[in-house]
Amino acid sequence: MILTLPLIISCQGEQSTLNTAGSEAEDIAHLIVVTAAAGAIVWVCVVGLMLFAAARRGEPMAEQSAGLVIAWGGVVLPASLLFILLAYVLFSMPATRPWFEKSRADVEIEITGEQYWWRVRYLDERGNVLFENANEIRLPAGRKVRLLLRAHDVIHSFWLPSLAGKMDMIPGRTNILWLEPERVGIYRGPCTEFCGTSHTRMSMQALVLEPQAFASWVEEVSSARKSPADARAHGQEAFLQHGCGACHAIDGTAARGRLGPNLTRLFERDRIGAGASANDPSGRMAFVRNAGAIKPGALMPAFPEINESDLRAISDYLGAAR
Amino acid sequence: MKRCLTCIAGAVVIAGVGGLSIAGLGLVDVGAASGHYAMTEWVLHSVMRASVRTAAIGIEAPKTRAPESGMTIAAVHFERACSTCHGSPRRKQSPDVLAMLPPPPDLSQSIGSWSAEELFVIVRDGIRYTGMPAWPATHRDDEVWTMVAFLRKLPGLDPAGYSNLLNARHIQKGRSCAQCHDGKNALAPNFQNQSEIYLRNSLTGYLEGKRSSGIMQVVVAGMDLQEIANITGEYSKTARNCRHIGTASAPTLVVEGDEVRKIPACNGCHDGKRPDYPVLDGLPAAYIATQLALFRGGNRVESVNQERMAFAARNLTDEDMWLVSKHFSSQAPLNSACEE
C-alpha cells in the first residue's frame, strides 16, 4: 500500500502543499522535506540495527560494547536529532506563525466562513470595507497579505495549500493569517473542517496577480461599486422581479440583500456555489432552479415557478461581463 | 361472602343489559321540546362554567394591540356568523333559535358574567353539546381576541352604533368587501395596491383551507373559483396599480436584510415587481405584524411563496416586526403614490 502513495499524493496542481507559490507555503514545504529526511535517517538506522542484530543470530555481545550501542543509539543519537529538529522548527516558526503582529500589511482581506461558502471583504487601510465578494480572493504577488478569518455559524477551516498553512475559522473569533504569494497563478482551497452536509462542496479559488494588475482590478471594482449599474442590462429586470435581491447584492443595483453571496462580477468567477458547479449557463440555471439539489443544506430555496426564459435571462445577466 | 359477590355481579349484569335495552329500544327522549329536568340543567350548567373557568387559567390577553382596531371586522363577522343564533342590537333572537336546547343566550345579558379570558376560551373552543362551534381556524388566537374585545363592548351598543360599526352603507352599494376592507381597519388590508393574482391566490387559499382565518374562511365559504375570479377582477378594475416607492430612510432590515441572522431584505421581493408577491406599502401596520407573526410561527404556508416567507420571518423579533410593519404602513400613502 505504501508503494502506491506516490501515485495518490499530488505533488503538483492548484491544491498542493509541495507546489508552492508563496513564502509561507515554501517554509512549510521545507519543513516537510527536512522532517521527512530526518525520519528517513532514523528509519535507515533502525532497520540497519535490526539487520545487524539479526545477522548476529543471538550471539551475545560484550557488556561494554552493548552499553556503548545503547548509549549512542538509544540516547545520544535520538536526543541530538530531536534537538536539531526542534531548533529548526522553532527557527522557522515566526515566518508562518509570527510571535508578534507584523508591522504593516499591503492588503487586508476579511474572509468569513458560512455554511457553505466564503464571504470575502476587501478592506482599506483604516479597516473599512472597500467592496464585498464571495468564494474567490485576488492577491498581489510579492506583497504582504493579512487575512482576517472569521466564521458565521460553525467552525470552518481555511487552507490554500500552495500559499500558506491551514487556519481554523471559529465563530466569535478573528484568526489572523499572514501570507505572501510569490508566483502568479490560480490556486484552490477547500474547507478543511467538516461543517455540514455540503462541506465537500465548499471551496474557494485564489488568483495571484501581478501587483499592477491587482491594483487596477481593485480600482475598477471599487469605482464600479459607487456608480449605478446599467438598469437596462439584459436580465436585470428578471433578476430583480423574482426577488433574487432579497438575499444577494449586485453593487450599483437595487439588489442589496446581505444574506447570501454577493453576486457582483460573478462572470469573473471560475465556478459558482463555492466550487459546486461550473460557471456556465447550464450550471447557473440548474443552481437557480434548485440549489438544494446541488448543495444539500444550502439556505437558498428552489424556484420551480420561474419560467424558462426568465431563468435563462437571469443566468445570462449573472454570466455577462459588466 | 361469595354469595354476596355473586349478587353484586348479577346486579351489574342486569343493570347493564337493562340500560342497553332502554337505549337500544329508543326509550330515551332526545327531543328539545321538553327541556332538561331542573336537576340536569343545573348540573350541565355548573359543569360548563367550571370547565370554562379552569380552561381560562393561564390564558393571558395580548397587550400589544389596541382592542378598538378590530371592532368593525368583529362586528361584521358577528353579524354574519353569530347573530343568527345570538341576535344582535339590530335584531332580537328569533323563536326558532330560542327553541334550541339549550337556547343560545342573549349576549347583551350574559356577556358581563364572563371574564375576557373565559370569553376567549368559549369563542376559540366552543361548547360541547350546545351548538356553540369552535373557532373555525386554528392558530388564529389573534382573531379570537378581536372577537372578545368586540363582545365585551356588545352590551353597550345600541342599534345605531352597531350599524355604524358594520359600515352597512357598503352593502347597499353591493360592495360588502368594503365593509372591512375600506382602508380604515387596522386588521383588514386595503386592496388598492395588490395585484389581481395576489388577491385571487389569497381568496382561493381561504376557500381551500390552505390560508387560515376564522373570519375570511367563513366569508368565502360557498363561493366557487369563478365567483372569486369575478370579485378580484372587479377589484382590479378599480385598483390603481401603484408601484413601490423606496425612500432613503427605510430600516436596514427592509433594504439589506441581516447577514448575521440570515434575514432576507423585504424590498427584494416586496417591490411590486412580481404580481404574486403582495405590495406592503400603505398596508396597516397591525395587519402586517399579525401576518409576520403567523409566518414566524409556521402558521401561514399556503404555497411555496409562503414557505419562503416563513423562512424570511423565522428569526424576526417582535421589535423587528413592528419596525418593519410601521415602515411599510407609513410608506407611500395610497393617493400620492398612485398619482405619480
Side-chain angles (χ1 to χ4, degrees), chain A residues 167-202:
Chain A
M167 179 82 81
D168 274 2
M169 307 171 112
I170 299 167
R173 280 186 62 101
T174 301
N175 286 341
I176 308 288
L177 182 69
W178 286 88
L179 53 83
E180 194 175 330
E182 282 168 345
R183 191 151 52 82
V184 169
I186 299 175
Y187 308 97
R188 185 174 179 273
C191 178
T192 39
E193 182 72 51
F194 179 74
C195 61
T197 42
S198 280
H199 164 66
T200 54
R201 293 175 180 82
M202 175 173 173

Side-chain angles (χ1 to χ4, degrees), chain A residues 114 121 152 246 258 305, chain B residues 256 259-260 262 265 274 308:
Chain A
E114 311 225 4
R121 290 199 185 98
H152 167 260
R258 316 211 25 82
E305 79 279 19
Chain B
E256 299 184 349
E259 75 178 59
V260 175
K262 294 293 173 206
R274 218 173 99 160
R308 276 171 212 154

Side-chain angles (χ1 to χ4, degrees), chain B residues 14-313:
Chain B
I14 289 168
V17 171
L20 283 174
S21 306
I22 291 171
L25 288 172
L27 299 179
V28 181
D29 179 15
V30 296
S34 55
H36 292 304
Y37 294 119
M39 177 69 182
T40 320
E41 170 84 37
W42 179 82
V43 169
L44 289 175
H45 203 73
S46 307
V47 168
M48 189 265 287
R49 287 206 83 100
S51 168
V52 169
R53 196 167 57 233
T54 305
I57 294 173
I59 285 179
E60 258 181 72
K63 297 179 186 73
T64 46
R65 187 191 300 150
E68 271 66 27
S69 61
M71 275 302 154
T72 287
I73 296 164
V76 171
H77 181 69
F78 185 86
E79 178 69 13
R80 183 186 296 270
C82 316
S83 70
T84 319
C85 291
H86 291 291
S88 77
R90 293 206 302 188
R91 187 159 41 89
K92 288 236 165 300
Q93 287 172 289
S94 76
D96 55 347
V97 299
L98 288 173
M100 288 170 73
L101 183 64
D106 175 1
L107 296 181
S108 62
Q109 305 301 315
S110 60
I111 284 292
S113 67
W114 301 101
S115 71
E117 289 76 17
E118 289 169 333
L119 285 174
F120 173 82
V121 168
I122 295 172
V123 175
R124 186 186 64 181
D125 300 340
I127 297 175
R128 202 176 287 185
Y129 305 134
T130 66
M132 174 68 193
W135 194 251
T138 52
H139 305 293
R140 290 309 304 263
D141 289 2
D142 58 303
E143 293 183 328
V144 177
W145 283 115
T146 305
M147 287 310 292
V148 169
F150 167 77
L151 290 174
R152 285 163 65 82
K153 293 259 155 104
L154 183 63
L157 280 175
D158 59 11
Y162 181 69
S163 293
N164 206 22
L165 275 183
L166 286 181
N167 273 332
R169 64 203 155 82
H170 289 300
I171 309 178
Q172 283 128 34
K173 290 185 208 152
R175 298 174 65 231
S176 53
C177 303
Q179 279 179 279
C180 299
H181 298 281
D182 61 351
K184 291 179 189 142
N185 290 295
L187 299 177
N190 51 61
F191 303 140
Q192 299 289 7
N193 273 337
Q194 308 309 334
S195 72
E196 187 179 352
I197 292 176
Y198 179 73
L199 293 179
R200 197 162 63 223
N201 286 349
S202 288
L203 289 180
T204 311
Y206 288 130
L207 183 69
E208 292 171 348
K210 289 179 185 161
R211 188 171 172 184
S212 136
S213 162
I215 294 170
M216 280 309 296
Q217 282 181 267
V218 172
V219 170
V220 298
M223 289 186 188
D224 57 22
L225 293 176
Q226 185 55 49
E227 209 171 340
I228 285 177
N230 292 346
I231 293 173
T232 53
E234 197 60 40
Y235 261 96
S236 69
K237 272 189 220 157
T238 60
R240 287 173 284 180
N241 193 24
C242 304
R243 295 297 288 266
H244 169 85
I245 300 173
T247 59
S249 64
T252 312
L253 204 53
V254 169
V255 182
E256 299 184 349
D258 189 318
E259 75 178 59
V260 175
R261 291 186 293 150
K262 294 293 173 206
I263 299 171
C266 312
N267 278 354
C269 295
H270 297 285
D271 55 358
K273 288 203 168 80
R274 218 173 99 160
D276 58 338
Y277 293 161
V279 174
L280 304 180
D281 301 32
L283 287 181
Y287 172 77
I288 300 176
T290 304
Q291 298 301 314
L292 283 173
L294 286 175
F295 282 121
R296 183 177 62 181
N299 296 320
R300 204 188 143 183
V301 281
E302 55 257 40
S303 78
V304 64
N305 289 355
Q306 284 74 25
E307 282 167 28
R308 276 171 212 154
M309 191 58 215
F311 169 84

Side-chain angles (χ1 to χ4, degrees), chain A:
Chain A
M1 207 174 83
I2 290 170
L3 293 178
T4 63
L5 267 181
L7 304 176
I8 299 169
I9 59 170
S10 58
C11 304
Q12 49 189 323
E14 56 181 16
Q15 185 187 320
S16 169
T17 314
L18 301 177
N19 178 31
T20 61
S23 60
E24 287 72 18
E26 237 160 66
D27 289 332
I28 290 170
H30 286 157
L31 197 65
I32 292 171
V33 171
V34 169
T35 46
I41 292 169
V42 171
W43 185 78
V44 166
C45 291
V46 168
V47 169
L49 209 61
M50 207 172 67
L51 292 175
F52 170 73
R56 291 180 64 86
R57 293 184 179 278
E59 193 184 317
M61 273 176 95
E63 199 169 314
Q64 200 186 357
S65 52
L68 274 175
V69 169
I70 291 171
W72 281 100
V75 180
V76 178
L77 207 67
S80 48
L81 195 67
L82 285 176
F83 180 79
I84 292 168
L85 276 181
L86 179 69
Y88 170 71
V89 168
L90 289 178
F91 169 75
S92 64
M93 199 162 127
T96 47
R97 293 285 186 274
W99 290 338
F100 305 103
E101 273 288 83
K102 285 180 196 172
S103 52
R104 204 181 59 80
D106 298 310
V107 178
E108 259 192 346
I109 306 175
E110 181 191 276
I111 305 176
T112 308
E114 311 225 4
Q115 283 172 321
Y116 303 94
W117 57 283
W118 320 82
R119 192 187 291 275
V120 180
R121 290 199 185 98
Y122 293 75
L123 310 177
D124 67 10
E125 303 81 29
R126 278 182 238 95
N128 299 323
V129 178
L130 278 173
F131 54 89
E132 186 173 316
N133 206 340
N135 303 329
E136 185 210 76
I137 56 173
R138 299 193 170 212
L139 307 167
R143 298 282 189 272
K144 288 199 195 79
V145 180
R146 185 169 180 258
L147 299 180
L148 291 78
L149 304 178
R150 304 163 177 270
H152 167 260
D153 31 39
V154 297
I155 299 179
H156 303 272
S157 195
F158 179 89
W159 193 24
L160 287 163
S162 294
L163 295 177
K166 182 159 75 168
M167 179 82 81
D168 274 2
M169 307 171 112
I170 299 167
R173 280 186 62 101
T174 301
N175 286 341
I176 308 288
L177 182 69
W178 286 88
L179 53 83
E180 194 175 330
E182 282 168 345
R183 191 151 52 82
V184 169
I186 299 175
Y187 308 97
R188 185 174 179 273
C191 178
T192 39
E193 182 72 51
F194 179 74
C195 61
T197 42
S198 280
H199 164 66
T200 54
R201 293 175 180 82
M202 175 173 173
S203 67
M204 68 150 43
Q205 215 172 38
L207 274 75
V208 178
L209 309 173
E210 292 294 351
Q212 300 89 340
F214 176 78
S216 62
W217 179 77
V218 169
E219 179 57 36
E220 188 186 339
V221 178
S222 323
S223 63
R225 186 173 184 246
K226 288 176 199 119
S227 58
D230 182 7
R232 294 159 303 167
H234 174 65
Q236 181 174 316
E237 184 66 22
F239 182 86
L240 294 175
Q241 186 194 0
H242 291 293
C244 308
C247 299
H248 299 285
I250 291 186
D251 297 343
T253 73
R256 291 174 65 185
R258 316 211 25 82
L259 192 163
N262 187 308
L263 298 180
T264 315
R265 300 169 77 88
L266 186 79
F267 66 90
E268 288 181 337
R269 298 177 210 164
D270 186 44
R271 298 181 71 77
I272 58 166
S277 293
N279 189 5
D280 58 23
S282 68
R284 290 190 297 265
M285 284 165 72
F287 203 94
V288 174
R289 179 67 84 204
N290 188 359
I294 295 161
K295 289 191 83 160
L299 288 182
M300 179 159 160
F303 289 92
E305 79 279 19
I306 300 181
N307 67 44
E308 201 68 15
S309 75
D310 276 7
L311 193 65
R312 187 165 288 281
I314 292 171
S315 159
D316 290 350
Y317 173 60
L318 293 174
R322 291 186 292 282

